[in-house]
Amino acid sequence: MRILAIDTALGACSACVLEAGSAQPLAIEQVAMERGHAEALMPLIERVMDAVEGGFSSLDRVAVTVGPGSYTGLRVGVSAARAIALAAKIPAVGVTTLAACAAPLVGRETGRVIAAALDAKHGQVWFQALSSEGRPIVALRQVSYRDAARAIGAGPVSLVGSAALAVANEAWAIGLDALVLDDARAPDVTWVARLGLIADPETAPPRPLYLKAPETTPQDRARLPRR
């Protein structure tokens, strides 16, 4: 199976093509950016696909990060993934940003809790914790740094993500054994591809995942009455 993975959820615009069983992607491009995903994504995908023999017609599946993350970034990535999947007549699946961040540690951090913590702004963090084997311990949620640290339990914990240090500071304050292993602002898109290969299209739809309502709302005052 050959998969195209897309990530625009956080501080990067990324895509790669990976074949099942391969250690490295056939093609990959990752560009750090906070804004401008809408303009950058399709040219980036085209460059990645130009480097792959067979192009879009060789794909069997598309995966995309569905959040939590930037409201606009999520819409850009999900829309592109859906359009490509529709045009190529292949399934599209969604992968959470926290799962993609935590996945590299599963099976490596023996005896430790694996926690992914991403900055949600305003003192909040998107947070999820797993056992070293990948079993869910703390469900995906948006909480304060302190509440994230307390949700870990007795630890010890290995943390990844842009808010890993902030949560670690709270963990240290309550006496937990905490290690910050990675503070990347976005997941490695190769892991989005690996998780996408094993995802079930029926239970992992390419649909944006929001943990709180968007901060912008439609204007109703100037709306004309329907006739």
Side-chain angles (χ1 to χ4, degrees):
M1 184 185 292
R2 179 177 290 184
I3 189 168
L4 167 66
I6 298 167
D7 172 45
T8 55
L10 297 163
C13 185
S14 307
C16 80
V17 175
L18 182 72
E19 286 191 341
S22 297
Q24 299 296 327
L26 298 173
I28 184 171
E29 186 170 342
Q30 301 183 93
V31 181
M33 62 174 60
E34 296 296 330
R35 296 180 178 83
H37 297 82
E39 295 78 15
L41 180 59
M42 290 312 300
L44 185 149
I45 291 175
E46 289 175 4
R47 291 192 297 271
V48 168
M49 295 310 304
D50 284 344
V52 175
E53 184 177 355
F56 287 98
S57 63
S58 71
L59 296 174
D60 300 296
R61 180 175 286 196
V62 182
V64 62
T65 45
V66 294
S70 157
Y71 178 81
T72 302
L74 293 179
R75 303 295 294 188
V76 169
V78 168
S79 295
R82 287 176 173 173
I84 292 169
L86 181 64
K89 298 180 180 178
I90 56 177
V93 296
V95 174
T96 70
T97 48
L98 290 167
C101 287
L105 303 186
V106 173
R108 286 176 39 194
E109 295 296 299
T110 304
R112 302 182 68 86
V113 175
I114 298 167
L118 297 170
D119 184 14
K121 310 296 185 184
H122 311 298
Q124 297 281 297
V125 59
W126 295 311
F127 184 78
Q128 186 174 30
L130 310 170
S131 71
S132 59
E133 298 81 23
R135 177 176 53 84
I137 295 175
V138 180
L140 195 157
R141 61 188 62 183
Q142 180 172 326
V143 292
S144 68
Y145 301 145
R146 177 176 296 181
D147 287 345
R150 293 183 182 278
I152 292 166
V157 61
S158 297
L159 289 146
V160 294
S162 57
L165 181 57
V167 174
N169 283 329
E170 295 291 344
W172 293 326
I174 58 176
L176 288 184
D177 172 4
L179 295 176
V180 176
L181 299 185
D182 187 355
D183 62 354
R185 300 183 64 83
D188 181 345
V189 72
T190 304
W191 281 97
V192 178
R194 289 181 178 134
L195 293 176
L197 283 169
I198 61 175
D200 182 350
E202 295 297 322
T203 58
R207 183 184 305 138
L209 171 65
Y210 303 118
L211 296 186
K212 70 171 186 176
E215 294 181 359
T216 57
T217 55
Q219 295 281 340
D220 289 329
R221 296 177 183 175
R223 181 179 293 175
L224 294 175
R226 291 185 178 181
R227 296 182 178 179

